Amino acid sequence: MVLKPEMATSLLKTSPLSVRTKLLHQTGLSLYNTSHGFYEEEVKKKLQQFPGGTVDLQKEDSGIGILTLNNPSKMNAFSGVMMLQLLEKVIELENWTEGKGLIVRGAKNNFCSGSDLNAVKALATPEDGMALCMFMQNTLTRFMRLPLISVALVQGWALGGGAEFTTACDFRLMTPESKIRFVHKEMGIIPSWGGTTRLVEIIGSRQALKVLSGALKLDSKNALNIGMVEEVLQSSDEAKSLEEAQEWLRQFIQGPPEVIRALKKSVSSGRELYLEEALQNERDLLGTVWGGPANLEAIAKKGKFNK
């Protein structure tokens, strides 16, 4: 039996989805709302008061996007306006149906040095800190759930919130001289953009404690040894390392966008949902590609058995 697209859509509508599953199915939903004391528009107004830098997005015909944190005079630290722009770019990427992969990088051979201290000093109360925490957790969780295979290209320094951002990507690559530092303890705080939770998932609780406490310094060699990064690139040159990252990412995105995106969604559900819910979500996602153009073309060519 071939499950037609309209049948798959009907199944999606009638499947008994949990709240967690619905969060994965739908874009634009936040972790936090007014019931948690989170008032997004108020936070946005505050962040708008701290200009500087940009978050730039380039979408290529190959299906690879390049997201660049561009505030080089401050080692690409996030200003308030950049935090708002990041959310805007995430929303744009959620709606990029031809997209398959994404590279996150910083301008001028540095990744990101976290939050701009001007904003940090002005948002000094616990209430301000928690509001910013919820805003960035919302944004980076939506980023993590993008149906794109993402890789952080770490050149130079990834500090504080910049280190946290790398953990929201599916993979991480480092140039030979680059470094990742979770410097939150030195600032008298803990990671608050979801970095601890994601770091534990990536390297385990024991290694995460070593990294977060500062006992283990993550240069490219140590990061590779503990599984924090996939590979150390050959070049430290800004342009050449980007070319290397693009070539590395291409191995994951061969094929039609609808198939790559369904794969990423399926992996996201396996990570975030209980077993039964993840299996049901996998079934529903299969219904969006089984009997579709790519599937029928592969069957016709017997592509399954071709190398």
Side-chain angles (χ1 to χ4, degrees):
M1 175 184 175
V2 175
L3 188 62
K4 297 180 179 179
E6 57 268 23
M7 297 173 64
T9 302
S10 176
L11 258 179
L12 285 171
K13 290 179 178 177
T14 57
S15 295
L17 299 177
S18 72
V19 172
R20 288 183 301 277
T21 312
K22 289 177 181 177
L23 282 171
L24 284 174
H25 269 291
Q26 299 178 45
T27 59
L29 295 182
S30 294
L31 292 173
Y32 301 109
N33 53 44
T34 54
S35 67
H36 305 97
F38 179 62
Y39 299 89
E40 185 174 46
E41 292 308 313
E42 291 184 12
V43 177
K44 286 181 176 180
K45 287 179 182 178
K46 286 188 177 182
L47 293 177
Q48 194 69 47
Q49 299 172 25
F50 306 102
T54 59
V55 177
D56 305 323
L57 176 62
Q58 175 185 344
K59 294 183 286 189
E60 301 186 344
D61 292 339
S62 64
I64 293 178
I66 301 174
L67 187 75
T68 303
L69 308 177
N70 193 348
N71 193 10
S73 66
K74 297 189 176 181
M75 294 176 60
N76 302 318
F78 271 100
S79 66
V81 166
M82 286 175 67
M83 293 177 188
L84 297 174
Q85 289 181 355
L86 178 62
L87 176 58
E88 292 170 1
K89 300 307 181 188
V90 169
I91 293 170
E92 184 175 345
L93 288 166
E94 286 173 343
N95 293 287
W96 185 30
T97 56
E98 296 304 312
K100 298 188 286 184
L102 182 67
I103 296 172
V104 182
R105 62 190 286 269
K108 304 297 182 184
N109 244 357
N110 266 309
F111 186 77
C112 174
S113 60
S115 299
D116 185 342
L117 288 181
N118 289 330
V120 172
K121 291 174 183 176
L123 302 172
T125 69
E127 293 75 17
D128 285 336
M130 291 181 66
L132 180 59
C133 164
M134 289 187 279
F135 181 85
M136 290 303 291
Q137 283 188 6
N138 277 345
T139 299
L140 290 181
T141 299
R142 288 174 68 170
F143 176 91
M144 183 178 66
R145 290 173 175 166
L146 286 171
L148 306 167
I149 298 175
S150 61
V151 57
L153 169 56
V154 182
Q155 302 161 298
W157 289 92
L159 300 172
E164 292 193 68
F165 196 175
T166 71
T167 67
C169 295
D170 298 312
F171 302 106
R172 285 147 295 282
L173 301 172
M174 293 178 75
T175 57
E177 306 303 321
S178 60
K179 295 177 174 62
I180 299 174
R181 292 281 193 276
F182 291 81
V183 296
H184 305 76
K185 187 187 76 169
E186 298 170 26
M187 300 297 295
I189 57 172
I190 63 172
S192 59
W193 296 0
T196 300
T197 302
R198 294 187 297 266
L199 187 66
V200 169
E201 181 182 352
I202 294 166
I203 61 174
S205 59
R206 290 174 61 250
Q207 297 287 20
L209 276 173
K210 294 177 185 178
V211 170
L212 294 173
S213 68
L216 179 59
K217 310 296 185 184
L218 288 183
D219 57 20
S220 59
K221 181 180 178 180
N222 286 337
L224 183 65
N225 286 341
I226 67 170
M228 180 71 179
V229 302
E230 304 302 312
E231 191 173 310
V232 179
L233 301 178
Q234 295 295 315
S235 178
S236 292
D237 177 79
E238 183 175 15
K240 289 181 180 178
S241 59
L242 177 58
E243 290 175 3
E244 283 189 66
Q246 288 173 305
E247 185 60 33
W248 187 89
L249 182 57
R250 286 190 186 100
Q251 66 185 307
F252 297 96
I253 62 168
Q254 300 297 322
E258 63 271 18
V259 176
I260 304 301
R261 295 164 70 83
L263 279 173
K264 173 61 187 293
K265 289 179 181 178
S266 183
V267 170
S268 294
S269 71
R271 177 179 58 221
E272 294 193 47
L273 302 178
Y274 296 134
L275 176 62
E276 183 178 348
E277 296 168 332
L279 291 172
Q280 292 173 355
N281 198 46
E282 184 176 298
R283 174 204 64 195
D284 293 343
L285 287 166
L286 175 68
T288 67
V289 292
W290 187 285
N295 177 227
L296 296 177
E297 182 180 351
I299 291 172
K301 292 181 178 179
K302 297 185 179 179
K304 177 179 177 182
F305 305 103
N306 292 337
K307 294 184 179 179

